[in-house]
Amino acid sequence: WTQWKAMLLNELYEKGRNVLEQGKLKHPFEERAFARRRQVADWLKDEPPGEASRFLSRVDDRYIIGTPDARFVDHCRLLARFDGKAPIVEAIDAPGAGASEFIVVCPDERGLFAKIAGTLSANGVNILNASIFTTIDAAALDTLYVNYRGKSLQGEPKKERVTADLLAVLGGAMSVEALIAEPRVGKYVRDKVPKYRPTRVNFDNTASSVYTVVDV
């Protein structure tokens, strides 16, 4: 279960309810996004003057609806700190959920998600879910929900190392290929991975009327 699936199911429910109650299809998705923007603005009322409105002007409705309530303040502050060049990486632990979040803010570029995923893979970190967004001024705001050996990274030296590796790769000081070449993942873990696993890429244009779903 993810925020993305929650958004899709909620949209289906709202559209279905409108059809049953009024006999016609309205636009509940847009109406919900408008109402949620006002809610987010209220959560950001304690931020410096102008920061909340600037933040809301940089993000689209998909981000507004698909982002957990507790993260808007964090994201607003991270984007305010971002100078447009130097990447920012912040880690948040959720031991109860058995996961940690890595929030990445950096200039958007082709292959960015591959760099982030490759860095995590080189460290033996498992990606459970990812929320990928880009602001209208081309700043990437990506959140990776991860675990390490089935647990969050709280108290793990691995967390600081992953953060440093992400900053190095996104800043251009190191390549993913160089990270993968280093023996960072234990021999036992490497031996458990099959030597050959065929790659499959499926495009699904029927699951949604407005999105293409790509399964890799």
Side-chain angles (χ1 to χ4, degrees), residues 104-204:
V104 177
V105 180
C106 64
D108 192 26
E109 61 173 303
R110 180 172 295 181
L112 176 60
F113 183 69
K115 287 184 176 181
I116 297 172
T119 302
L120 295 174
S121 178
N123 282 278
V125 174
N126 185 43
I127 300 175
L128 305 175
N129 187 22
S131 297
I132 309 300
F133 298 105
T134 304
T135 65
I136 61 171
D137 53 347
L141 176 58
D142 298 346
T143 302
L144 290 298
Y145 301 87
V146 307
N147 66 15
Y148 180 62
R149 296 179 178 175
K151 301 178 181 179
S152 77
L153 278 75
Q154 185 174 39
E156 280 276 354
K158 176 73 69 175
K159 182 169 69 173
E160 284 69 31
R161 186 167 189 175
V162 171
T163 300
D165 285 347
L166 284 170
L167 289 171
V169 169
L170 297 176
M174 184 179 292
S175 69
V176 173
E177 290 79 7
L179 282 179
I180 293 176
E182 296 180 19
R184 297 189 169 209
V185 180
K187 184 177 184 299
Y188 174 78
V189 176
R190 291 183 186 277
D191 290 345
K192 295 287 287 184
V193 178
K195 299 300 180 184
Y196 174 73
R197 180 176 295 163
T199 300
R200 293 187 300 169
V201 181
N202 297 318
F203 286 80
D204 185 352

Side-chain angles (χ1 to χ4, degrees):
W1 185 254
T2 65
Q3 285 290 128
W4 162 253
K5 291 179 181 177
M7 183 181 74
L8 291 179
L9 187 59
N10 186 77
E11 184 179 354
L12 174 64
Y13 167 79
E14 293 291 350
K15 288 182 176 179
R17 187 181 67 175
N18 277 338
V19 170
L20 292 173
E21 290 181 350
Q22 304 179 31
K24 58 183 179 179
L25 183 63
K26 285 195 171 183
H27 300 284
F29 182 84
E30 291 81 357
E31 293 170 4
R32 180 169 177 244
F34 179 75
R36 188 159 172 79
R37 280 183 180 273
R38 288 187 297 181
Q39 187 179 35
V40 173
D42 185 60
W43 292 334
L44 299 175
K45 63 184 179 182
D46 294 329
E47 298 305 300
E51 287 297 341
S53 58
R54 181 170 181 264
F55 170 73
L56 288 170
S57 70
R58 300 172 70 185
V59 296
D60 60 16
D61 289 347
R62 183 176 70 90
Y63 167 82
I64 289 294
I65 291 179
T67 299
D69 299 352
R71 287 292 166 263
F72 287 106
V73 172
D74 296 325
H75 292 175
C76 180
R77 291 174 180 175
L78 286 172
L79 283 173
R81 282 171 47 198
F82 180 51
D83 63 5
K85 296 179 181 179
I88 298 173
V89 177
E90 186 162 302
I92 301 174
D93 297 306
S100 295
E101 294 179 39
F102 279 98
I103 304 174
V104 177
V105 180
C106 64
D108 192 26
E109 61 173 303
R110 180 172 295 181
L112 176 60
F113 183 69
K115 287 184 176 181
I116 297 172
T119 302
L120 295 174
S121 178
N123 282 278
V125 174
N126 185 43
I127 300 175
L128 305 175
N129 187 22
S131 297
I132 309 300
F133 298 105
T134 304
T135 65
I136 61 171
D137 53 347
L141 176 58
D142 298 346
T143 302
L144 290 298
Y145 301 87
V146 307
N147 66 15
Y148 180 62
R149 296 179 178 175
K151 301 178 181 179
S152 77
L153 278 75
Q154 185 174 39
E156 280 276 354
K158 176 73 69 175
K159 182 169 69 173
E160 284 69 31
R161 186 167 189 175
V162 171
T163 300
D165 285 347
L166 284 170
L167 289 171
V169 169
L170 297 176
M174 184 179 292
S175 69
V176 173
E177 290 79 7
L179 282 179
I180 293 176
E182 296 180 19
R184 297 189 169 209
V185 180
K187 184 177 184 299
Y188 174 78
V189 176
R190 291 183 186 277
D191 290 345
K192 295 287 287 184
V193 178
K195 299 300 180 184
Y196 174 73
R197 180 176 295 163
T199 300
R200 293 187 300 169
V201 181
N202 297 318
F203 286 80
D204 185 352
N205 287 308
T206 62
S208 170
S209 61
V210 292
Y211 299 106
T212 293
V213 179
V214 184
D215 289 316
V216 181

